[in-house]
Amino acid sequence: MASPAVKPKASTLTPSGARLMITITVGACAALLLVVPRPVPARELPPLALDPAAIDAALEAEAARAALAPRDEVATRLREQIAARNRAEVGPGEAPEARADRDRALEEAAGAFLERHGEEGLRAVRAEALERLEPALAGALSTEDEEALLGSFPRMLERYGAATEGRVTAPPIVVRALFAARFDAMLGREPAASLSDVERQAYWGFVALGSHAVPAELRGRALREYASANGPGAQEALALAALEAGRELETMSTIEALVAETGDLRLRNLALEARRHFP
């Protein structure tokens, strides 16, 4: 007599097991989406991400430099003329002749200072001012001292998108770099030219990569300066700018070089999107 067929036992899946299977499936699908090449729209510039160790080193160097700021009569005259310029910026206004006289006095003071103390001496005076920047912005100085140090700098922060309604929103290194560049420009120097690499990255990177409105010409220059300072993500930002402007050769060569160098999946997908623009 033949043995009766054995009916297979139905498998059961507990609720927790079902959840585990769903989790594994979803995770596998997500991983597959990352691996499979697919074009992605080029919409956002990379974020400004600076090296913390480089920032710390720059701050230490500036603190050491501030301690060496000259204290003679030539340096005192320069400080007085800088303070006068800053106070005038937030004052009730002045006649053109008075402003011309004041500008000339500042120029003469800066020239005499540079003749005696050189560029390093000037950087030391700037570093000294930077040491007081944070308390000044926090309202820890008297009104007179704050105006003498900052002038119209708070308005500049608002204009560049580094502050909103009096509250500073940009990273401290960016604010310091903006202040230092303004200091140099006030003395007829090239803004940001004497900053360290990470400070130049902070200055130009904030202008180039920030979400605030910036004229196209200025953003283009900022991107180039940021790249010259070896700013993180600079080449990707240049490629995106070239893509937006329709510069085919520049876009493709930059992106494909980055993909070859880094193997970054997002950049690879960006290259596919670029090829859609330039078939």
Side-chain angles (χ1 to χ4, degrees):
M1 182 176 177
S3 301
V6 179
K7 186 176 182 179
K9 184 178 179 180
S11 61
T12 60
L13 188 62
T14 65
S16 61
R19 286 194 297 271
L20 178 60
M21 288 298 294
I22 292 172
T23 301
I24 292 172
T25 302
V26 171
C29 290
L32 184 62
L33 287 174
L34 289 174
V35 173
V36 174
R38 58 193 179 95
V40 294
R43 294 177 181 171
E44 294 186 359
L45 292 169
L48 179 61
L50 304 178
D51 181 3
I55 293 174
D56 289 343
L59 294 177
E60 290 177 7
E62 286 295 283
R65 189 173 284 119
L68 301 176
R71 295 286 174 186
D72 60 12
E73 72 283 357
V74 173
T76 298
R77 181 185 170 203
L78 176 63
R79 290 186 182 91
E80 290 173 348
Q81 293 302 322
I82 291 173
R85 163 70 180 268
N86 283 328
R87 283 194 295 266
E89 289 182 350
V90 294
E94 57 187 344
E97 296 82 4
R99 178 175 181 175
D101 289 343
R102 182 176 46 72
D103 287 346
R104 185 163 47 252
L106 176 57
E107 181 180 352
E108 291 173 354
F113 181 93
L114 283 167
E115 185 176 347
R116 178 172 296 186
H117 298 292
E119 292 288 344
E120 277 304 308
L122 190 60
R123 292 183 67 181
V125 172
R126 187 185 69 193
E128 178 187 58
L130 279 165
E131 291 292 295
R132 303 172 64 215
L133 177 60
E134 184 176 346
L137 291 174
L141 303 184
S142 68
T143 300
E144 182 180 356
D145 288 345
E146 180 181 315
E147 291 178 349
L149 179 69
L150 299 180
S152 62
F153 183 63
R155 293 202 297 268
M156 174 183 169
L157 293 179
E158 297 272 353
R159 186 168 64 252
Y160 275 82
T164 303
E165 297 180 354
R167 183 174 64 88
V168 176
T169 55
I173 187 64
V174 169
V175 177
R176 288 175 61 93
L178 290 171
F179 181 88
R182 174 183 176 274
F183 182 99
D184 288 351
M186 190 165 53
L187 298 182
R189 325 296 290 172
E190 178 66 24
S194 65
L195 301 182
S196 67
D197 282 349
V198 73
E199 289 167 331
R200 286 195 297 125
Q201 290 170 8
Y203 178 81
W204 291 114
F206 183 76
V207 177
L209 306 178
S211 59
H212 48 285
V214 174
E217 183 177 350
L218 175 57
R219 192 181 292 276
R221 182 195 173 187
L223 277 172
R224 293 189 297 273
E225 295 283 359
Y226 181 63
S228 73
N230 299 314
Q235 296 304 316
E236 179 185 351
L238 286 171
L240 287 170
L243 176 59
E244 184 176 346
R247 299 193 295 270
E248 176 181 355
L249 182 60
E250 181 182 346
T251 301
M252 295 310 303
S253 63
T254 302
I255 295 179
E256 290 177 352
L258 286 171
V259 172
E261 178 184 347
T262 67
D264 187 276
L265 295 178
R266 187 170 59 85
L267 291 174
R268 180 199 60 189
N269 292 339
L270 179 60
L272 293 176
E273 174 68 15
R275 291 192 187 99
R276 290 175 60 182
H277 283 263
F278 311 122

